[in-house]
């Protein structure tokens, strides 16, 4: 291994590994260092997303949803099964195997692109040097023309809710339970709380989600949030809003959780407690003295709109910098930086980053919520189409939820699209593309959508914004 590279990337998660691959595609010499260690002690690229986040959670969401559908829905289709049993060990084996395949795939991508992958810890030194403590114990200093910091994030720990990995756990632990907890407590009705709460509720846990804020999904469009709340309630997720957790104490094999709401203080007893109260930027032992890289008051690495830090030729991308903590946001930042380093064009439209919550129904959106547009004072129009009126959704036994398009009254520009319903996360891609090209509702209205598809819901919602929907009554 030569000690000099054009680019050294610290962190091989969804922000770091795409940066490394694009830099290599740009004919630069690249090393990517990652210290992620799985529970069995093995090193793996892919960061939080592939090892303990996006991928394992989606594997369990899919399996648990199939379990519920087999129990509750197949009969409606005329499909009769014998007794349906949960084989959690097999479900977890499948989850682990998907993770292993996906993380192993990064090694293959590195090899094909000529990226040198190094398992171990990286620390930025002044002068664009990186001290590597490799997994085999060896130490080496790499010289880089450019360094990309992509060290990611870690779960926020509440000091009064002491994590023990057994009874009081984080999202990673909760993805690897080997038995279904009878009573599961979740602190936080954010994306993690709702996705993990859904998994274990579907598999049989009594799930109580304690959320400090008085409303659910405050960052989403409130029409969609209210619809989601209705569905979660029907599914048996007990979401207590305005319930701020003060502390949790292990009592034998259970956990006593103390929270307060408008009525006063309460104690809830659960068998496992998941803390899902947000994530913080991770920069532990990343920066030596004198690198010139600054952190903001919340601990994020300070960067400009093109992810340049205060130090020349040092960049930072992904969860460790400002903006939503989403894998696709980090990926596009990594790619942008690798292109800029190579002297190519690179930019990122932060206004059109899609969000997806993989519950059932799925929730997805891009752009502004109706509340944000209203607050901006810009006159707007709204079109809504319910999936109950979609033939494809009906055929899928998924006629719940809606698509909602918000557009400017003056020039018809699409300002936001919000979907709650089947495969909302897939449907939103059309809206992202439309908004990336500053489309109007008329552009979507005049675009042919195949029939019968779920995508017709976006088409009809765009038509409804001008009271021209065909398959729903215009209001
Ligand atoms: P990370 O993925 O955290 O990767 C950083 C890597 O850098 C890690 O491997 C870390 O070990 C390594 N590292 C850190 N410091 C050093 C160092 N000094 N030397 C060497 N290596 C170092 N996002 C989505 O968009 N969609 C989802 O569905 C989704 N689901 C999620 C579900 C869960 C349960 C969780 C927890 C998160 C989920 N996220 C999801 C968020 C997503 O995982 C993060 O936004 C994403 O992983 C951030 O990528 P990153 O590369 O910035 O950081
Ligand atoms: P979050 O910030 O989305 O939600 C945390 C919630 O915990 C908040 O609603 C907060 O009010 C609540 N909370 C905090 N302290 C509390 C207390 N003491 N008592 C009760 N409630 C309390 O964070 P998260 O759900 O942990 O997710 C972390 C990050 O991971 C997010 O940025 C998210 O974007 C990302 N993620 C994304 C996906 C996805 O894209 N599908 C899935 C999972 C995670």
């Amino acid at each position: 291994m030569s000690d000099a590279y054009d680019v050294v990337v610290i962190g091989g998660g969804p922000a770091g590994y795409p940066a490394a691959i694009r830099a290599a595609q740009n004919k630069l010499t690249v090393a990517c260092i990652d210290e992620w260690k799985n529970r069995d002690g093995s090193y793996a690229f892919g960061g939080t997303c592939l090892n303990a986040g996006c991928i394992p959670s989606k594997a369990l969401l899919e399996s648990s949803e199939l379990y519920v559908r087999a129990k509750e829905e197949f009969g409606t289709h005329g499909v009769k099964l014998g007794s349906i049993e949960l084989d959690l060990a097999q479900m977890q084996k499948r989850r682990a195997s998907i993770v292993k395949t996906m993380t192993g795939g990064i090694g293959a991508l590195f090899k094909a692109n000529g990226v040198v992958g190094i398992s171990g810890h990286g620390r930025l030194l002044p002068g664009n040097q990186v001290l590597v403590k490799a997994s085999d114990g060896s130490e080496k200093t790499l010289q880089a023309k450019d360094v990309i910091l992509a060290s990611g994030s870690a779960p926020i720990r509440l000091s009064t809710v002491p994590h023990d990995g057994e009874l009081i756990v984080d999202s990673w632990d909760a993805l690897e339970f080997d038995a279904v907890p009878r009573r599961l407590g979740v602190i936080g009705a954010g994306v993690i709380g709702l996705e993990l709460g859904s998994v274990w509720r579907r598999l049989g846990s009594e799930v109580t989600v304690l959320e400090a804020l008085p409303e659910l999904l405050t960052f989403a469009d409130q029409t969609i949030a209210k619809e989601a709340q209705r569905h979660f309630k029907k599914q048996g997720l007990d979401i207590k809003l305005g319930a701020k957790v003060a502390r949790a104490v292990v009592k034998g094999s259970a956990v006593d959780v103390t929270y307060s709401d408008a009525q006063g203080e309460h104690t809830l007893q659960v068998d496992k407690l998941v803390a899902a109260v947000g994530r913080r930027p991770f920069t532990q032992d990343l920066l030596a003295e004198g690198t010139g890289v600054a952190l903001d008051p919340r601990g994020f690495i300070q960067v400009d709109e093109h992810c340049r830090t205060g130090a020349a030729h040092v960049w930072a991308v992904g969860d460790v910098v400002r903006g939503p903590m989403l894998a696709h946001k980090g990926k596009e930042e990594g790619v942008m930086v690798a292109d800029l380093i190579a002297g190519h064009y690179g930019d990122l439209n932060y206004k059109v980053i899609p969000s997806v919550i993989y519950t059932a129904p799925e929730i997805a959106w891009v752009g502004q919520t109706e509340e944000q547009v209203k607050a901006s004072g810009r006159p707007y129009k709204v079109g809504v189409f319910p999936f109950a009126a979609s033939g494809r959704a009906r055929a899928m036994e998924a006629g719940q939820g809606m698509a909602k398009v918000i557009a400017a009254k003056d020039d018809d520009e699409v300002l936001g699209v919000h979907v709650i319903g089947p495969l909302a996360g897939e449907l939103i891609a059309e809206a992202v593309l439309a908004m990336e090209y500053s489309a109007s509702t008329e552009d979507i209205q005049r675009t042919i959508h195949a029939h019968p598809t779920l995508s017709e819901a976006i088409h009809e919602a765009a038509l409804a914004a001008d009271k021209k929907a065909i398959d729903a009554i215009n209001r």
Side-chain angles (χ1 to χ4, degrees), residues 373-382 406-413 415:
V373 177
K374 195 180 272 177
S376 76
R378 189 167 179 191
Y380 67 95
K381 54 189 180 180
V382 174
I406 307 165
K409 256 197 174 148
D410 45 18
D411 64 0
D412 196 33
E413 185 186 355
L415 301 175

Side-chain angles (χ1 to χ4, degrees), residues 227 230-231 384-403 420-422 453-454 456-457 460 471-473 475:
E227 175 80 4
R230 218 169 48 77
H231 287 288
V384 173
F385 183 79
F387 281 103
S390 154
R392 185 67 193 274
R394 287 282 186 178
M396 293 168 69
E397 199 58 30
Q400 298 147 348
M402 70 192 85
I420 176 166
T453 60
L454 297 172
E456 288 171 293
E460 286 283 328
D471 288 320
I473 297 165
R475 294 178 202 283

Side-chain angles (χ1 to χ4, degrees), residues 430 434 439-450 459 463:
E430 174 184 2
S440 60
T441 58
E442 189 183 346
D443 290 323
I444 302 178
Q445 289 168 2
R446 292 189 185 281
T447 302
I448 300 173
H449 291 68
H459 188 213
L463 286 163

